[in-house]
Amino acid sequence: MATSTFARMAKGQVRHYSAPLEMSIPQSKKQFIPASGTYPKGFNVSGTHVGVKASNTKFPDLALISSETPCSAAAVFTTNKFQAAPVQVSRETLQSRRGSGIRSVVINSGCANAVTGKGGVEDAVGMGGKVDECNGLAEPSTIVMSTGVIGQRLPISKILSKIPTAHANLSSTHDSWLTTARAICTTDTFPKLLSQTFTLPSSPGRTYSLAGMTKGAGMIHPNMATLLGVLCTDAPIEPPALQSLLKHAVDRSFNSISIDGDTSTNDTIAILANGAAGGAPVNSSSSNDYTAMRDVLTTFAQSLSQLVVRDGEGATKFVTVRVQNSPSYNSGKLIASTIARSPLVKTALYGRDANWGRILCAIGYTQGVAEGTVVPERTSVSFKPVDGSPVLKLLVNGEPEQVDEERASAILQHEDLEILVDLGGGEQGEKGLGGEEATYWFCDFSHEYVTINGDYRT
């Protein structure tokens, strides 16, 4: 093996398989960790060490998010046929309560409680029930999530014994939110937490807050992936509207990212809205408040989901693929998704090779697009640099450009890259035929990805 190849394989092979409390988070990832936040009223959180995995002797691995008052709640779940016990239990809880009266979310990392039979379901029910007991509630009011290795039973006694501690330590401070975000990490190298404030048209002088945490670094691809997410807001939103808002946001965020094309058994994104900030309830999809809330939630979910891509296992590139001038949003998204999961595209980007033919191939073999969506004579592909310089045109209206390989190499040196695909044959970056645009976010494939997943259980 050539020395240069060996050096590239060896570089960066040390990876933190959880996000520790010490300052061992990779330097390049620290920029994504918030130093402060503005969190929704009436929510308290905690991250507690249980030791779900015997090798974890000190890191938090039990997260608890709780509202002081009952919430409207909604969730989207994995479409994998082998749905984990917490997915089954949480779906049943939300359905039985019709999205009302939810108080808490409890999450463990270190074990997925997936493909664990009836005993696994009993464990998930027990986790939720213990939280409800701490809240003084008799009926199921807790959403349960788990993440980690599939096919192993939870050390349920250890978890149940620590839930009262987690409840006693509930707090609304930024440090508590950050520790809670750390508690749901598995192979993540940093905790993923965001918060923001916003207003709604009906109450322009009233400030609402939205906070969210997520985890995920591998087995990431819709619908959905090995990721969990919890969003909380103090805006008043009725359950039917909340489910609709969440679905719209997730379709354009957590269901528009890919790391390796795999989907898992536990994936859940949930949102709680307790209305603690007051104001008129959002309850109609035709209202101005609904439209404003949809836009706020979608943009926020996109930012949160992008953190998952930036922490992709072994990733060295954060890539945005934007498909423009598609006859429909769905066809554009299918094309973007196909590019994002192409191993040849991903490895070329890792090798900093402007091999645009691989992008073109992925466009051409995309399944399920409407007839006439892809016409070679009006298809264009470009790289958009992050430094604001002009796009590098690779293909224009089906005709290859004379590519400046030196400039292409310079563009691919950057961590961030945008791929523009124009299906209408117009100028890149402008609306033309079709007019619909779909955006997807993904990362490259590196040697480290193989290393991480080759020894995941060992």
Side-chain angles (χ1 to χ4, degrees), residues 70-400:
C71 301
S72 297
V76 291
F77 300 98
T78 179
T79 57
N80 195 297
K81 294 294 190 294
F82 292 95
Q83 298 194 344
V87 170
Q88 300 173 45
V89 170
S90 294
R91 180 185 282 112
E92 172 60 28
T93 297
L94 286 170
Q95 289 177 345
S96 66
R97 299 206 63 122
R98 297 183 179 179
S100 298
I102 299 298
R103 285 283 301 275
S104 302
V105 179
V106 64
I107 310 168
N108 76 271
S109 61
C111 178
N113 190 14
V115 198
T116 47
K118 294 180 180 179
V121 173
E122 293 171 359
D123 291 344
V125 170
M127 284 178 63
K130 192 65 175 180
V131 175
D132 294 334
E133 180 184 316
C134 291
N135 285 329
L137 302 172
E139 295 185 6
S141 306
T142 299
I143 294 171
V144 182
M145 304 183 195
S146 298
T147 183
V149 177
I150 294 170
Q152 297 180 3
R153 288 286 298 274
L154 291 171
I156 192 62
S157 296
K158 292 171 67 175
I159 293 174
L160 296 181
S161 69
K162 284 297 184 76
I163 287 178
T165 302
H167 190 270
N169 291 335
L170 286 169
S171 170
S172 60
T173 67
H174 170 69
D175 285 347
S176 292
W177 279 89
L178 193 58
T179 301
T180 305
R182 284 177 170 136
I184 67 176
C185 293
T186 50
T187 60
D188 307 62
T189 66
F190 68 96
K192 300 163 183 65
L193 173 69
L194 292 176
S195 64
Q196 73 168 72
T197 59
F198 63 96
T199 60
L200 294 175
S202 66
S203 304
R206 193 184 303 271
T207 300
Y208 296 104
S209 296
L210 173 63
M213 63 183 71
T214 188
K215 63 82 52 181
M219 291 185 77
I220 303 293
H221 190 71
N223 286 301
M224 288 184 301
T226 302
L227 62 84
L228 304 178
V230 180
L231 308 175
C232 302
T233 182
D234 50 18
I237 310 173
E238 296 296 323
L242 192 62
Q243 183 67 50
S244 174
L245 288 165
L246 182 65
K247 184 180 185 305
H248 182 278
V250 168
D251 282 346
R252 290 156 179 78
S253 58
F254 290 98
N255 277 344
S256 290
I257 62 174
S258 184
I259 287 177
D260 49 21
D262 268 318
T263 62
S264 190
T265 54
N266 291 60
D267 321 315
T268 305
I269 303 293
I271 184 169
L272 304 183
N274 65 7
V282 179
N283 55 19
S284 171
S285 60
S286 62
S287 70
N288 291 334
D289 279 357
Y290 180 94
T291 301
M293 189 71 229
R294 182 195 65 194
D295 293 345
V296 167
L297 187 61
T298 299
T299 301
F300 183 85
Q302 286 174 344
S303 296
L304 194 59
S305 68
Q306 287 169 27
L307 293 178
V308 175
V309 179
R310 290 193 178 278
D311 201 25
E313 290 175 342
T316 69
K317 292 278 187 293
F318 174 82
V319 188
T320 300
V321 56
R322 200 178 306 278
V323 177
Q324 300 172 323
N325 298 326
S326 173
S328 71
Y329 172 78
N330 288 338
S331 289
K333 187 176 178 181
L334 283 170
I335 291 169
S337 172
T338 304
I339 295 169
R341 70 173 184 267
S342 165
L344 292 180
V345 171
K346 292 160 78 70
T347 51
L349 293 175
Y350 173 63
R352 301 170 183 173
D353 180 8
N355 193 341
W356 56 266
R358 294 181 176 182
I359 299 171
L360 203 66
C361 283
I363 297 170
Y365 66 65
T366 301
Q367 299 293 308
V369 299
E371 185 70 26
T373 295
V374 179
V375 178
E377 292 78 17
R378 67 171 190 236
T379 300
S380 301
V381 178
S382 299
F383 285 160
K384 183 178 180 180
V386 296
D387 59 8
S389 59
V391 299
L392 177 65
K393 297 181 179 181
L394 307 171
L395 182 78
V396 176
N397 296 336
E399 293 290 336

